[in-house]
Amino acid sequence: MILVLGGTAEGRTLATELVAAGVPVTSSLAGRVAAPRLPPGEVRVGGFGGADGLAEYLAEHRISAVINATHPFAAQITANAATACARTGTPLLVLRRPPWQARDDDKWTTTPDLPAAAAALTDYAAEAVVLLTIGRQGVAAFSAAPQRFWLRSVDPPDGPLPARAEVILDRGPFTVPDERELMRRLTVDVLVTKNSGGPMTVAKLVAARELGLPVIVVDRPPLPPDMQVVDDVRGALSWAGSR
Ligand code: NAP
């Protein structure tokens, strides 16, 4: 039984491919999204109770390998998986899509984390319009910012929110024309995004480039040391096949 820690498109694709190949797979979702897109195979939802709880789960369910296909910013579950797998001797692979890369014609400011991204907004006037696309969590880092915010996320953002904020509930994939139109209509001055990578939400960066808009890009948190990492589903399937 392979445990796929999911919550991403790659996690779903990986589970689909493993099930199609006849490999028993359980996908684990955190339960953050109200109506998640469910992968085939077994699915469990909710936290394990830290690294200890995950280690117990691995032993109890006789998990033969773990593939961590969580989002590049899901640092806590990634650390827990590293600890639990090391403790139980369970092979662990991290499936992490490559980050987006700036082109010469992009106007990116990269920051190490969300508070630094909020600090970078002090370069902008209080009347500037910010399109914040960092997901539901972490918006509190921007709560003291004076600018006018459009917050886009799948589910309503967790507070506290900036004083002047409106919410757009939407889920990718997004297209470049739609993103360009949205940025024009909202008169966006600056886009703030995590460097999630992947094709589902890259259109906002292309649209910002085409409109000449600046983008504040939050870098990914580092992985725990000594992780075995692949950057696509094919690599994860070949790792699973070799076992
Ligand atoms: P996180 O901060 O790394 O995890 C917080 C806690 O949530 C973990 O300690 C764990 O609870 C539980 N958890 C997280 N992922 C889980 C999973 N796949 N299965 C079971 N429990 C899980 O993670 P997060 O940033 O809140 O992300 C939660 C989920 O949303 C992940 O599956 C991730 O792939 C997805 N996601 C995250 C982002 C993002 O920007 N962070 C964006 C899109 C999707 P216990 O300690 O109790 O086990």
Side-chain angles (χ1 to χ4, degrees), residues 163-221:
R164 296 195 290 167
E166 300 203 52
V167 174
I168 304 170
L169 297 183
D170 206 353
R171 166 150 63 185
F174 301 102
T175 68
V176 174
D178 284 354
E179 294 290 59
R180 209 173 36 221
E181 169 56 22
L182 181 79
M183 290 176 193
R184 275 212 185 107
R185 186 161 51 80
L186 303 180
T187 62
V188 169
D189 294 303
V190 55
L191 169 70
V192 182
T193 177
K194 291 174 174 172
N195 195 338
S196 300
M200 296 262 287
T201 56
V202 72
K204 60 190 168 187
L205 293 169
V206 180
R209 180 187 305 140
E210 288 179 2
L211 294 171
L213 289 181
V215 186
I216 297 173
V217 180
V218 183
D219 276 340
R220 299 165 169 204

Side-chain angles (χ1 to χ4, degrees), residues 29-179:
L29 306 177
R32 299 268 189 280
V33 176
R37 293 174 180 151
L38 293 179
E42 286 182 36
V43 177
R44 64 164 301 288
V45 180
F48 296 95
D52 292 348
L54 180 53
E56 270 171 39
Y57 179 95
L58 297 178
E60 203 175 299
H61 292 79
R62 306 173 73 83
I63 300 296
S64 44
V66 176
I67 302 179
N68 175 5
T70 57
H71 191 269
F73 282 80
Q76 188 60 59
I77 188 73
T78 295
N80 292 353
T83 304
C85 287
R87 197 183 298 162
T88 55
T90 311
L92 170 65
L93 181 74
V94 178
L95 164 55
R96 195 129 295 187
R97 59 179 96 127
W100 295 313
Q101 304 288 348
R103 287 183 5 180
D104 287 348
D105 48 349
D106 281 320
K107 295 182 185 167
W108 286 18
T109 301
T110 53
T111 68
D113 52 28
L114 291 171
L121 280 179
T122 53
D123 290 345
Y124 292 83
E127 282 312 308
V129 176
V130 183
L131 177 59
L132 189 69
T133 62
I134 58 162
R136 197 188 87 184
Q137 304 174 80
V139 179
F142 299 85
S143 60
Q147 288 88 3
R148 293 158 56 205
F149 280 80
W150 289 95
L151 314 174
R152 184 172 70 186
S153 52
V154 176
D155 285 314
D158 296 337
L161 306 183
R164 296 195 290 167
E166 300 203 52
V167 174
I168 304 170
L169 297 183
D170 206 353
R171 166 150 63 185
F174 301 102
T175 68
V176 174
D178 284 354
E179 294 290 59

